[in-house]
Amino acid sequence: MAEFRGVDFYGIEALLSEEEKLARDSVRQYVEDNVIPIVDDFYERGEFPMDLVRPLGELGVFGANLPTEYGCAGMNNVAYGLVTQELERGDSGIRSFVSVQGALVMYPIFTFGSEEHRQTWLPKLATGEKIGCFGLTEPDHGSDPGGMVTRARKTSDGYVLNGAKAWITSGSVADVAVVWAKDDDGRVRGFLVEKGTPGFSAPEIHKKHSLRASVTSELFFDDCHIPDANLLPGSGGLKSPLMCLNQARYGIAWGGIGAAMACYDTSLRYALGRTQFGRPIASFQLQQAKFAEMLTEITKMQLLALQLGRLKDDGKVTPAQISMAKRNNVDWALKIARMARTILGANGIASEYPVMRHMNNLESVYTYEGTHDIHTLILGEAATGISSFK
Amino acid sequence: MKIVVCIKQVPRRDDLLRINADKSWIDESSLSFEANESDAYALEEALRLKEKHGGEVIVATLGPSDASKTIKEGLAKGADRAIHLCDSTFEKLDAVATAKSLAAAIGPEAPDVIFTGLQSDDLGYGQTGVLMAEMLDLPHASIVIALETSEDGKTLRVKRELENGWFQWISMATPALVTIQSGINKPRYASLKGIMGAKKKPVDVRTASDLGLNADALTPREAIGSLYLPVREKQTEMLEGDAETVAAALVARLRGNGVI
């Protein structure tokens, strides 16, 4: 089968630099050779392909937009976005792993950590020698993280953590967890909790219908003692974890394009090859309407993400702008996956094609990192100046 | 060990090709480009030699200014610097003039090993490497599918692909030129760090006059007269009669056409 060539209806290629194109092409080739051939089996088995972690580290995808002095690639945000796009063309679970490692673990260590934290963790997280996870969401506190009940009680030489976190990507395989808890003053602080710390456990959540090639866990803290040195000194208030989420949401906005392109490309090839009533089904108007819609929306997604990246690179991006891209791109990726499924007919549900895997994955992506509804309210506030939920 | 690897930028393998208006070449305006396949394997072989013996890898590319993406990819994968032969005089060269130009740029570097791909995916002459070796008075081996070096790097032992499934191992002293067959190794991916680092690596852009070459010296000895898609033709003649008659008529036709 001919190689995947991307989707570029609007000459967006010309808006990218050589480095941005090279980064995309290199990761695209890696995903084509190493992720796509294996990921469906892992998905079926409900297993994360752990053997990809070190090669992905060699490729440099973890924290690729962080500085080179900590072993990262130092790329701009557009190149980083294109990387997450290509990873999600493989599978949302693989992209989720990379987003968590980079945006939710390396970014807070870089931004809120001490120099010692950075030197200790960032180079090893960049190579994939160490794995990280991010604990903010709790079983009873999702969209309203400020209501968290996990507490960090101060002791003479550190903190004692008590509480639980839920829906934590990579939790059970992580060497270090970035955990958010309220201190004695009720202020949200970030802590580095290392694997094996007494009182800390991270059982995996099994029996999922989505993100099956990804580890999802709960984190439990039962009188878990954390030394003072493991407090992220620069963290303070709910703003700190929300800054991390902005980084991750940015990558997800690009990731949605990858999943959508995979579904579009698969269904287009299928429709051109599948004959009914003596003609390829691509020749039927009802199918053509779907392709017109998919192509238009993918092009809009690309333009949203690209300008968002340029704004981010210029230091001008706002959280609401990130909300718009995450909300729109994941929503449309999911709709495109569903449309593609209908074009493939019964074959759409088969593992032979990636469409239903993407569709099921996108149900999670639609909800995590700020649900679609919460991003709607953020945009509503941006438009009207009136918050509907604060 | 100083290693030069010649990389040509060619249209992507699965691009849809259209012939241009004057039928002299394909219409390149809507094409995307990539490193010639066997050149990508040659680059990987060069990088492996550097990893074994130390030294430097230099990418040499003859092509238009937008070949810089392919050059950068070579630098991103680990080459140390590049020479880009870029000049309108270098457009539409034949294999002799291409070899002459590359030899003029590479010769003064006095490399220990020069790698090229077996042939380019667009023109497919398979001559540039071999001609360059003659011009530089170097021993060469073509269609190489395995390469070993002595500990001191002064001797190459290469496996050549012959016809009908035959192979040939030969040893040669460096400096030497080797043309690489696709599949000899598994080319690496350009890492994101490598891509960012490539921006800082030197690319020496040379024109024909920089190399002491003029248009006369590069005049092609052959030219493409006209490019066309294969014409589909079918002529069917029905032979009528009983089996004996038809067989006799068929034999007569085949004899008449010189088939038998």
Side-chain angles (χ1 to χ4, degrees):
Chain A
M1 191 160 59
E3 271 177 67
F4 174 71
R5 301 297 305 268
V7 178
D8 185 12
F9 193 68
Y10 251 46
I12 294 167
E13 190 77 1
L15 304 177
L16 303 177
S17 72
E18 268 176 5
E19 284 77 27
E20 288 159 359
K21 285 186 256 189
L22 281 171
R24 178 200 59 199
D25 292 349
S26 196
V27 176
R28 179 174 290 173
Q29 193 64 50
Y30 178 84
V31 168
E32 192 77 39
D33 297 344
N34 301 282
V35 177
I36 290 173
I38 61 141
V39 75
D40 197 70
D41 282 344
F42 280 87
Y43 187 94
E44 287 283 331
R45 291 204 302 274
E47 199 183 316
F48 172 69
M50 196 60 96
D51 287 348
L52 293 180
V53 175
R54 295 307 293 266
L56 284 170
E58 271 174 44
L59 198 57
V61 302
F62 301 134
N65 52 352
L66 295 176
T68 51
E69 58 188 296
Y70 300 109
C72 305
M75 310 212 85
N76 71 12
N77 285 291
V78 171
Y80 173 71
L82 288 162
V83 166
T84 60
Q85 167 189 296
E86 293 307 317
L87 291 166
E88 192 140 358
R89 190 174 78 84
D91 189 84
S92 303
I94 311 301
R95 202 270 308 133
S96 296
F97 181 93
V98 174
S99 288
V100 168
Q101 183 90 346
L104 296 182
V105 178
M106 295 172 73
Y107 170 81
I109 290 173
F110 172 72
T111 307
F112 308 119
S114 64
E115 189 54 33
E116 195 186 337
H117 289 148
R118 293 181 195 144
Q119 298 287 353
T120 303
W121 289 105
L122 294 181
K124 288 177 181 167
L125 289 162
T127 59
E129 184 187 338
K130 297 288 184 188
I131 295 172
C133 70
F134 176 90
L136 176 66
T137 296
E138 298 187 350
D140 295 325
H141 300 88
S143 293
D144 177 20
M148 70 170 68
V149 295
T150 301
R151 286 289 181 277
R153 182 167 47 81
K154 186 79 185 85
T155 62
S156 57
D157 59 347
Y159 294 84
V160 172
L161 284 184
N162 275 293
K165 300 289 178 183
W167 309 112
I168 308 304
T169 297
S170 304
S172 309
V173 294
D175 300 287
V176 63
V178 173
V179 177
W180 302 91
K182 282 184 180 168
D183 66 11
D184 295 333
D185 301 326
R187 192 159 172 248
V188 174
R189 305 298 304 269
F191 300 88
L192 297 177
V193 182
E194 292 180 45
K195 188 179 198 162
T197 305
F200 171 41
S201 58
E204 187 170 352
I205 299 172
H206 292 289
K207 298 191 176 178
K208 297 176 293 181
H209 286 296
S210 177
L211 293 181
R212 290 183 54 76
S214 170
V215 173
T216 310
S217 314
E218 291 178 274
L219 308 182
F220 293 116
F221 306 96
D222 182 10
D223 283 337
C224 176
H225 181 263
I226 308 295
D228 276 326
N230 285 19
L231 169 73
L232 292 174
S235 68
L238 197 59
K239 187 169 186 287
S240 303
L242 294 184
M243 281 167 70
C244 303
L245 293 180
N246 266 328
Q247 303 299 313
R249 289 166 182 172
Y250 169 77
I252 292 167
W254 283 91
I257 304 171
M261 289 196 304
C263 294
Y264 172 76
D265 185 63
T266 303
S267 59
L268 183 56
R269 289 170 197 247
Y270 183 88
L272 289 167
R274 170 86 172 175
T275 305
Q276 292 291 288
F277 306 103
R279 293 156 62 189
I281 62 168
S283 68
F284 295 116
Q285 291 183 353
L286 284 175
Q287 308 310 321
Q288 292 200 352
K290 294 174 196 172
F291 288 116
E293 187 103 296
M294 289 196 274
L295 183 57
T296 305
E297 293 305 327
I298 287 172
T299 302
K300 284 151 76 175
M301 288 159 79
Q302 289 171 321
L303 293 169
L304 265 188
L306 180 60
Q307 174 62 3
L308 187 73
R310 297 287 180 232
L311 286 171
K312 196 165 188 295
D313 280 328
D314 288 344
K316 291 177 183 163
V317 78
T318 66
Q321 287 169 333
I322 296 175
S323 285
M324 178 183 279
K326 190 274 180 184
R327 177 182 180 276
N328 179 78
N329 288 10
V330 176
D331 186 33
W332 269 104
L334 183 53
K335 287 177 182 161
I336 287 168
R338 288 176 181 151
M339 268 189 252
R341 213 290 301 150
T342 67
I343 293 167
L344 268 71
N347 282 308
I349 71 159
S351 293
E352 189 184 344
Y353 298 95
V355 170
M356 192 134 175
R357 176 167 50 80
H358 281 300
M359 190 170 106
N360 284 357
N361 282 336
L362 287 163
E363 289 288 354
S364 294
V365 182
Y366 185 84
T367 289
Y368 74 22
E369 298 283 345
T371 65
H372 181 82
D373 292 343
I374 285 290
H375 288 302
T376 306
L377 299 181
I378 290 170
L379 288 171
E381 182 183 354
T384 63
I386 307 165
S387 171
S388 64
F389 60 94
K390 278 179 196 159
Chain B
M1 185 177 265
K2 190 187 253 191
I3 307 150
V4 172
V5 54
C6 299
I7 302 181
K8 183 180 187 182
Q9 180 165 285
V10 295
R12 273 187 63 149
R13 260 159 289 178
D14 51 358
D15 264 347
L16 190 64
L17 301 182
R18 291 189 180 85
I19 292 168
N20 67 8
D22 66 1
K23 297 190 175 171
S24 62
W25 189 232
I26 49 176
D27 177 8
E28 294 191 340
S29 60
S30 61
L31 297 180
S32 51
F33 293 87
E34 64 182 0
N36 184 49
E37 186 183 21
S38 55
D39 298 353
Y41 287 95
L43 171 66
E44 179 62 31
E45 211 56 28
L47 295 172
R48 289 179 187 197
L49 269 196
K50 179 191 159 187
E51 281 160 6
K52 184 176 174 195
H53 295 286
E56 68 169 339
V57 171
I58 305 160
V59 169
T61 293
L62 185 151
S65 58
D66 68 6
S68 60
K69 178 168 175 265
T70 294
I71 292 172
K72 255 189 198 154
E73 189 184 1
L75 297 173
K77 286 185 176 184
D80 299 278
R81 60 189 171 95
I83 303 170
H84 185 179
L85 283 72
C86 183
D87 188 336
S88 57
T89 317
F90 292 138
E91 284 171 20
K92 297 198 173 162
L93 300 185
D94 65 2
V96 173
T98 303
K100 200 184 276 183
S101 307
L102 284 168
I106 295 168
E109 295 280 351
D112 298 293
V113 182
I114 301 172
F115 286 112
T116 70
L118 162 66
Q119 61 187 12
S120 58
D121 295 340
D122 52 0
L123 287 167
Y125 290 140
Q127 295 177 21
T128 302
V130 177
L131 288 167
M132 205 183 350
E134 289 303 314
M135 291 168 186
L136 293 170
D137 199 20
L138 295 175
H140 76 264
S142 58
I143 326 179
V144 166
I145 54 170
L147 182 140
E148 296 168 358
T149 52
S150 59
E151 279 308 307
D152 62 4
K154 292 195 186 320
T155 309
L156 305 180
R157 190 165 171 266
V158 299
K159 185 180 184 183
R160 297 186 59 230
E161 187 181 336
L162 305 180
E163 289 179 4
N164 290 326
W166 286 84
F167 302 106
Q168 177 188 39
W169 278 99
I170 56 167
S171 291
M172 54 207 287
T174 59
L177 185 145
V178 178
T179 82
I180 295 291
Q181 170 70 298
S182 295
I184 186 174
N185 52 40
K186 186 174 182 301
R188 67 195 64 192
Y189 303 98
S191 75
L192 303 185
K193 263 199 263 187
I195 290 167
M196 295 310 288
K199 281 200 282 197
K200 298 181 200 99
K201 292 180 176 177
V203 179
D204 190 2
V205 179
R206 305 268 181 87
T207 62
S209 65
D210 292 342
L211 299 170
L213 298 165
N214 56 34
D216 287 346
L218 300 176
T219 304
R221 297 175 189 204
E222 58 172 282
I224 294 172
S226 171
L227 229 59
Y228 60 93
L229 294 171
V231 182
R232 283 194 188 186
E233 281 180 315
K234 193 166 90 169
Q235 287 180 329
T236 308
E237 187 182 346
M238 299 304 293
L239 301 175
E240 309 284 347
D242 60 19
E244 216 166 296
T245 318
V246 170
L250 179 61
V251 169
R253 288 285 189 294
L254 293 175
R255 283 217 173 106
N257 291 335
V259 178
I260 55 174

